[in-house]
Amino acid sequence: MDVANYKGLYRVSNWRRVQSLPRKVSKMRTGGVVISGKVLSPVRQSGSGHLQIGLSKKGRVKIYRVHRLVLAAFTGPCPKG
């Protein structure tokens, strides 16, 4: 399933795998570079032990907990509390 707010950039599976999808990234000097897709490696968060991963969009990286990405993709937004 596509990651919410990152459609066409990243996908997530119910096995907690996050994959970047192949895409063309514009570069000033070369005009563009094609990035191949790959399965990303999450990092265990110190303290809580949750798996987290950084997703990039428009040159900005945001850190997400993997279990929340799975919840949002398959169920919907995480309820408050």
Side-chain angles (χ1 to χ4, degrees), residues 32-77:
V33 176
V34 175
I35 297 176
S36 60
K38 64 180 180 177
V39 175
L40 304 176
S41 299
V43 176
R44 193 162 301 276
Q45 186 179 15
S46 61
S48 70
H50 290 107
L51 295 176
Q52 62 184 15
I53 202 151
L55 302 181
S56 175
K57 184 177 179 182
K58 296 183 180 179
R60 294 186 178 206
V61 177
K62 188 167 180 185
I63 306 299
Y64 292 94
R65 290 181 174 176
V66 175
H67 68 277
R68 289 187 174 252
L69 294 176
V70 173
L71 176 70
F74 290 92
T75 305

Side-chain angles (χ1 to χ4, degrees), residues 26-37:
S26 61
K27 298 280 185 178
M28 289 195 153
R29 292 185 182 193
T30 62
V33 176
V34 175
I35 297 176
S36 60

